C-alpha cells in the first residue's frame, strides 16, 4: 500500500454537473489543482483493451483499443472521478491510498467536497483608508478548507485608487502569520475584490487592507449584522466596537469519504464505488467523465476532436452530437434500464451498464463533461454503486427498440430513420402538457420505447375540472404565462389533444385498463366543448373575456404569444379530429348511438369550418374570428396544414391552399416611425396627460404605443392621435380610442385612414388605475415628450410606432427556411399578447419564422390532397436540408445562419430542444407513404408510394404488444414478426384493415 504526499498549487473551481455535488461557478471560488504527479505516486493498469492512468483518487487518462492489441486510440477521457467536481489534488486528496495488481486498482480514502461560504454583505458605513493606515477584519472559518477571501471597497468615485490586501492566520491580539497578499490596482468603486491562496484549514484569520493610494476604503455595517463572522473590525489593528466589515470567504467541506475499485477483464472495465456520507444522508454523487469536444462550428468528426457521435439508452433515449453543438449543456439526460451507449466517431463504442444508468452533459470550448449516474435517486447514508464499461467495435446499429424506416431508396430511408431518432427521442419522454398529447402520440405510441408509456402517464396524470376542462399544464389549469392570478391562462386545445392522445395510445396498445380509466374523462372533455363552449353547434366558441380574439387578447392554444381566442380555427381543427377519435372509442365501447351523435356534429363542423374560417380572396383559412366579428388572417401556414391533415378543406380549397404556399408572396409592413423606449416608465395619474410628437416622412395607416402597468391589471385610458404641432390651435384630431382592462406587455394601437407625411402627436388621457408609458432620456429626431401639455423635463421621448401600408414581399414561404414553411406569411404587428413590434419580420418564430413540426403536417396534407410525389418532393427537400452538417439542430447559428429559439437573443426558428413535436417531421414518413394508422379495432394501412420508391416500410413497429415489420409495395401489404406473417394485396387508394384477432 502506498500513501502520497504532494505540494500545493491552485486554480479556480469549475462548476460541477450532475450527480448532486455542484460547486460554485468559475470566478467566484478558487480551489487547489494537482501538480504533475510524481512517478511513484501515479497508478496505471492496462490489458490491451484499456489503459488507465491516474493520481490523487481520480483517473487522468482512459484510452482504448477495441482489438485488445494495446495500440490505444487518443484518450477517450482525460479525467474520470467521483462526484461532480474535480477536487482530486495533492492538497485535498493527498491521503488517498491505492493498490494496483493484475489489472485491478483499488482506491480508498477519497474525500468528496461541497461548497461552503461565509459572507457578510450588509453595509451602511464606508470607512476611508488613510495613507499609512490599515483596516482589517478577523473571522472564524469553520469550513474544512477555504481558498478565497474578499471585501467590498468604495473609492468615492475614484478610478485610480489602490490598496494591498493581505490575509493572516491569527488576530492582532494573538499574533499574525502572513498567508497571501496582492495589490488591488485599481480598486473598482463599490466593487468586491478577492485574494486567492492555497487551501487553508479551519481557524481564526485576519484580512487587512493597507498601502492606500487615492481614496480607497472598506464598506462596513454598524449596529450588528445578520451574519456572525466570529471576529471583529480593526482600524490600525485596534478593535472597533459595533462595526463589522463586509467579507466574503469561499471554501469547502468534506461531505463524504469514498472507495473506488476498478477491474479490467478483457474488453470490460468493472467499476464499484462506495460513499459514506458524513452527517445527513445524500444522493449518489455519480461520476464525472471529461472527453474531447469542439463547441463551436459544425464538425462532429473524429479528426476534429469529437470522439462520440451520439448517446443512446436501451429504452429509447437518444442524443446526437449535432444537437449539442454551440450549446452549454444537455437539456435532458440519456437514461436506460440497464445500458447507455456512447457511439464513437472512431473504431469503438462504449457501453455503460448498471441499474438505471444515466448520462448528462455540459460543454465547454474544448471539453464535454459527462455526469454518469446509476441506481435509485433517493438519499442514503451509504451509497454503493456498480457500473461496467464495455468496449465494443464501432457500429451504427441500434437496439431493436429503435424503429427503422426502410425503402427501395436506402439512402433516403437511412436519412429518415436518423432524423426520426434525433427528433423523436432527444427530449424528455415524461411530464408533457396536453398541448402536445396528440403530437407525441403520433411520434411515440407506435414504438416500444419508454416514450409511449410516458405519454400515457402524462395523460393519466393530467387534472380535469368538474366541468370537463382539461388542465393545460401539469400543475396549473392554464399556461405558465401570463400570471394565472391576473388572467385566464387556459389553453382550450388541451381537451381535443387529451381525447386524441387517449385514442391514439389505446389504438396502438390495446391497454384496456388505460381505456377504462380514460373513457369517463374523455367524455367529460368532449362535453366541455359541446355544452360549455357551444360545440354542439359545430364550432367551439371560447367564451372567456381574456380569450376574445381581439388584438392583445390571450393565446388559446400552443401558439403561445399569438392572441387567437373566440372562434379559433386552430382549436376547431382539433375539435373536428377529436370528434372522430371519440366516436371510434364509443363504438369500441359499444355505444353506437353516442358515436353517431358525435359524427353528426362532425359533419356540421366541416360545413361551418369552411363558412367561418375560409378567406376566399386569399384562398386559405384564417386564424380567428374575434368577438367583434373581425377576422384575423396573417397567412397561418400551420392552421391550414393541420386543418388539411384532418381533411377539412374540399379539393378545390386544398388546391388554393397549396397554390398560396408554393407560389404566394409574403405581405410585409414597415415602421414609418419607431421611437423605442429607453428604460424609463413614468406613471400617469388621473387628471393628467402624456403625449409624444413625431414626424412621419411617409404615409402611415396605424399608430401604437406601449403602456406598462407594473404588474397590475385593469387600467383604462383614452389614446388620441392629432395632426399638427402639439397643443397648437391648428392641431386636428384624427382618431380616438378607449382602452380598458389594460395590462403589461400589450400594445395599444389605432387604425386610421392613410395619413400623409407630416408632424403628428399621440396623447394619452382620462387615465384610471396603474398606467405608465415606456419612455427614454434619449431625444428622438422630429419629436418630443410632453406632460400636461408642456415639454416633459423628465423624459425626452416615448415609445411610439406608426406603420405603413402592407406591400408585397418576396415569394419565399419555403425558400427562407427550407426545412419548413414560414409559420405565417403576413406581418403581424398587433395581434400578439406579448408585443413584437420591434422584432424584425422573420426573427420571431410565430411571425414569419418557422417551427419544424409543421413540416410533418405539410407532408401528410400534401400526401392526402396532392399525391405522394408532391409530398415526397417536400420530404426530400427537408431531408436535403437535414443532411447539411448541423442536422437542423444545435445552438445558434444553425448552418444557414438561423437563430434557434432556445439560444440567447434568437427567436427565428424552433427545430429541436425544446420542441419535442419536431419528431412529427420525420414521423410523417410512416403516415404519408407507408400509410399506417391504428384504430381501436384494427391496424389500417393505406399505402401511398411516390414514383421514386418501389417499396417502403418500417421495422420494430409495435402494435398491440407485438413487434412487427411492415412493408408496402405497389400492390401488397406485408406484416411479419413474433409469429405473425400476413400478406394482403390492395389496389391503389384502398386500405388494408388488420384486426387484432389476426395476431
Amino acid at each position: 500500500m502506498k500513501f502520497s504526499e504532494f505540494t500545493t498549487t491552485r486554480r479556480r473551481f469549475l462548476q460541477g454537473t450532475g450527480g448532486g455535488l455542484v460547486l460554485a461557478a468559475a470566478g467566484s471560488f478558487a480551489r487547489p489543482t494537482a501538480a504533475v504527479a510524481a512517478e511513484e505516486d501515479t497508478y496505471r493498469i492496462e490489458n490491451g483493451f484499456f489503459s488507465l492512468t491516474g493520481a490523487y483518487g481520480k483517473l487522468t487518462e482512459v484510452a482504448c483499443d477495441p482489438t485488445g492489441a494495446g495500440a490505444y486510440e487518443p484518450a477517450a477521457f482525460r479525467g474520470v472521478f467521483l462526484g461532480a467536481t474535480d477536487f482530486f489534488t495533492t492538497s485535498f486528496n493527498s491521503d488517498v491510498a491505492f493498490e494496483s495488481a493484475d489489472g485491478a486498482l483499488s482506491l480508498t480514502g477519497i474525500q468528496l467536497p461541497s461548497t461552503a461560504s461565509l459572507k457578510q454583505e450588509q453595509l451602511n458605513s464606508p470607512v476611508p483608508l488613510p495613507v499609512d493606515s490599515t483596516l482589517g477584519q478577523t473571522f472564524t472559518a469553520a469550513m474544512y478548507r477555504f481558498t478565497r477571501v474578499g471585501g467590498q471597497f468604495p473609492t468615492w468615485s475614484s478610478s485610480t485608487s489602490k490598496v494591498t490586501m493581505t490575509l493572516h492566520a491569527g488576530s492582532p491580539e494573538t499574533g499574525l502569520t502572513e498567508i497571501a497578499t496582492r495589490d488591488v490596482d485599481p480598486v473598482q468603486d463599490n466593487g468586491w475584490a478577492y485574494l486567492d491562496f492555497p487551501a487553508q484549514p479551519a481557524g481564526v484569520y485576519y484580512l487587512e487592507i493597507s498601502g492606500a493610494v487615492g481614496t480607497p476604503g472598506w464598506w462596513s455595517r454598524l449596529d450588528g449584522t445578520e451574519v456572525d463572522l466570529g471576529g471583529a473590525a480593526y482600524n490600525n489593528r485596534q478593535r472597533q466596537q459595533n462595526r463589522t466589515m463586509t467579507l466574503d470567504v469561499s471554501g469547502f467541506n468534506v461531505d463524504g469519504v469514498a472507495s473506488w475499485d476498478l477491474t479490467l477483464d478483457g474488453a470490460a472495465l468493472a467499476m464499484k464505488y462506495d460513499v459514506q456520507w458524513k452527517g445527513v444522508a445524500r444522493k449518489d454523487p455519480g461520476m464525472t467523465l471529461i472527453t474531447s469536444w469542439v463547441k463551436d462550428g459544425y464538425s462532429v468528426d473524429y479528426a476534429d476532436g469529437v470522439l462520440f457521435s451520439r448517446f443512446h439508452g436501451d429504452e429509447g433515449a437518444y442524443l446526437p452530437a449535432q444537437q449539442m453543438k454551440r450549446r452549454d449543456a444537455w437539456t435532458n439526460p440519456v437514461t436506460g434500464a440497464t445500458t447507455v451507449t456512447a457511439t464513437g466517431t472512431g473504431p469503438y463504442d462504449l457501453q455503460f451498464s448498471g441499474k438505471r444508468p444515466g448520462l448528462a452533459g455540459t460543454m465547454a470550448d474544448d471539453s464535454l463533461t459527462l455526469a454518469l449516474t446509476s441506481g435509485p435517486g433517493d438519499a442514503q447514508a451509504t451509497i454503493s454503486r456498480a457500473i461496467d464499461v464495455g468496449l465494443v467495435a464501432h457500429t451504427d446499429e441500434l437496439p431493436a427498440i429503435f424503429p427503422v424506416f426502410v425503402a427501395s431508396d436506402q439512402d433516403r430511408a437511412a436519412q429518415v430513420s436518423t432524423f426520426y431518432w434525433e427528433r423523436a427521442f432527444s427530449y424528455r419522454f415524461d411530464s408533457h402538457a396536453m398541448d402536445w398529447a396528440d403530437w407525441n402520440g403520433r411520434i411515440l405510441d407506435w414504438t416500444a420505447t419508454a416514450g409511449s408509456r410516458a405519454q400515457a402517464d402524462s395523460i393519466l396524470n393530467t387534472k380535469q375540472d368538474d366541468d370537463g376542462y382539461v388542465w393545460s399544464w401539469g400543475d396549473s389549469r392554464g399556461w405558465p404565462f401570463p400570471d394565472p392570478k391576473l388572467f385566464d391562462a387556459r389553453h382550450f386545445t388541451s381537451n381535443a389533444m387529451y381525447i386524441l392522445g387517449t385514442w391514439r395510445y389505446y389504438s396502438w396498445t390495446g391497454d384496456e385498463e388505460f381505456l377504462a380509466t380514460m373513457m369517463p374523462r374523455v367524455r367529460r372533455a368532449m362535453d366541455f366543448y359541446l355544452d360549455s363552449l357551444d360545440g354542439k353547434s359545430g364550432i367551439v366558441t371560447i367564451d372567456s373575456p381574456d380569450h376574445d380574439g381581439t388584438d392583445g387578447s390571450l393565446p388559446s392554444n400552443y401558439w403561445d404569444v399569438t392572441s387567437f381566442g373566440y372562434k379559433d380555427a386552430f382549436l376547431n381543427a382539433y375539435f373536428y379530429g377529436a370528434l372522430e377519435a371519440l366516436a371510434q372509442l364509443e363504438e369500441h365501447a359499444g355505444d353506437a348511438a353516442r358515436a353517431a351523435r358525435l359524427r353528426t356534429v362532425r359533419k356540421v363542423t366541416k360545413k361551418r369550418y369552411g363558412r367561418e374560417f375560409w378567406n376566399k380572396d386569399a384562398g386559405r383559412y384564417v386564424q380567428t374570428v374575434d368577438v367583434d366579428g373581425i377576422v384575423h388572417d396573417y397567412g397561418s401556414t400551420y392552421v391550414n396544414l393541420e386543418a388539411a391533415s384532418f381533411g377539412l378543406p374540399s379539393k378545390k380549397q386544398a388546391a388554393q391552399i397549396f397554390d398560396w404556399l408554393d407560389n404566394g408572396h409574403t405581405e410585409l409592413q414597415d415602421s414609418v416611425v419607431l421611437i423605442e423606449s429607453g428604460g424609463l416608465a413614468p406613471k400617469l395619474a388621473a387628471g393628467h396627460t402624456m403625449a409624444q410628437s413625431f414626424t412621419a416622412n411617409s404615409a402611415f395607416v396605424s399608430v401604437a404605443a406601449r403602456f406598462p402597468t407594473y404588474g397590475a391589471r385593469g387600467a383604462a385610458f383614452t389614446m388620441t392621435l392629432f395632426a399638427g404641432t402639439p397643443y397648437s390651435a391648428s392641431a386636428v384630431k384624427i382618431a380616438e380610442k378607449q382602452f380598458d382592462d389594460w395590462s403589461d406587455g400589450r400594445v395599444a394601437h389605432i387604425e386610421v385612414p392613410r395619413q400623409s407625411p407630416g408632424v403628428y402627436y399621440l396623447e394619452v388621457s382620462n387615465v384610471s388605475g396603474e398606467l405608465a408609458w415606456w419612455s427614454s432620456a434619449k431625444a428622438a429626431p422630429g419629436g418630443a415628450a410632453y406632460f400636461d401639455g408642456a415639454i416633459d423635463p423628465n423624459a425626452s421621448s416615448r415609445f411610439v410606432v406608426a406603420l405603413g401600408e402592407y406591400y408585397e414581399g418576396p415569394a419565399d414561404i419555403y425558400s427562407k427556411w427550407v426545412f419548413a414553411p414560414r409559420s405565417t406569411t403576413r406581418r403581424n404587428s398587433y395581434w400578439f399578447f406579448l408585443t413584437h413590434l420591434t422584432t424584425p419580420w422573420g426573427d420571431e418564430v410565430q411571425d414569419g419564422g418557422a417551427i419544424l413540426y409543421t413540416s410533418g403536417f405539410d407532408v401528410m396534407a400534401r400526401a392526402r390532397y396532392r399525391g405522394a410525389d408532391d409530398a415526397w418532393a417536400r420530404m426530400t427537400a427537408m431531408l436535403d436540408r437535414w443532411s447539411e452538417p448541423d442536422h437542423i439542430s444545435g445552438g445558434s447559428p444553425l448552418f444557414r445562419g438561423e437563430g434557434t429559439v432556445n439560444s440567447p437573443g434568437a427567436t427565428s426558428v424552433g427545430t429541436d430542444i425544446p420542441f419535442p413535436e419536431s419528431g412529427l417531421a420525420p414521423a410523417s414518413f410512416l403516415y404519408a407513404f407507408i400509410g399506417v394508422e391504428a384504430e381501436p379495432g384494427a391496424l389500417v394501412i393505406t399505402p401511398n408510394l411516390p414514383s421514386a420508391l418501389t417499396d417502403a416500410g418500417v421495422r420494430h413497429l409495435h402494435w398491440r404488444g407485438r413487434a412487427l415489420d411492415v412493408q408496402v409495395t405497389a400492390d401488397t401489404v406485408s406484416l411479419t414478426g413474433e409469429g405473425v406473417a400476413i400478406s394482403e394485396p390492395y389496389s391503389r387508394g384502398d386500405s388494408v384493415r388488420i384486426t387484432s384477432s389476426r395476431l
Side-chain angles (χ1 to χ4, degrees), residues 400 404 406 941 953-958 962-968 973-978 980 982:
V404 178
V406 295
I941 304 175
V954 60
R955 300 202 306 266
H956 315 316
L957 175 143
H958 272 247
R962 300 287 186 95
L964 302 172
D965 293 350
V966 179
Q967 185 177 43
V968 300
V973 172
S974 301
L975 274 74
T976 57
E978 295 191 28
V980 176
I982 298 172

Side-chain angles (χ1 to χ4, degrees), residues 159-184:
S159 61
T160 58
S161 294
K162 305 175 187 179
V163 297
T164 297
M165 296 176 64
T166 307
L167 177 68
H168 301 267
S171 69
E173 291 86 354
T174 62
L176 300 173
T177 302
E178 183 177 313
I179 293 171
T181 187
R182 77 165 276 218
D183 292 331
V184 183

Side-chain angles (χ1 to χ4, degrees), residues 322-336:
Q322 289 89 348
Q323 203 170 100
M324 298 150 56
K325 295 286 288 186
R326 305 171 305 284
R327 284 182 168 148
D328 296 324
W330 298 8
T331 302
N332 309 286
V334 173
T335 61

Side-chain angles (χ1 to χ4, degrees), residues 78-92:
R78 60 193 190 214
V80 179
F81 48 86
L82 300 182
T85 306
D86 185 358
F87 220 82
F88 300 91
T89 67
T90 180
S91 60
F92 189 74

Side-chain angles (χ1 to χ4, degrees), residues 726-795:
Y727 303 103
S728 66
S730 60
V732 177
K733 181 189 293 187
I734 302 297
E736 183 174 275
K737 187 174 181 180
Q738 178 68 29
F739 296 89
D740 300 298
D741 195 20
W742 201 252
S743 58
D744 285 329
R746 300 175 66 185
V747 173
H749 73 94
I750 302 176
E751 303 289 335
V752 295
R754 187 176 187 272
Q755 298 297 303
S756 300
V759 175
Y760 297 81
Y761 73 99
L762 190 67
E763 182 186 72
V764 172
S765 60
N766 302 323
V767 172
S768 64
E770 288 279 313
L771 192 79
W773 192 339
W774 282 112
S775 304
S776 175
K778 182 180 179 180
Y786 289 81
F787 180 81
D788 282 348
I791 294 291
D792 190 344
N794 299 312

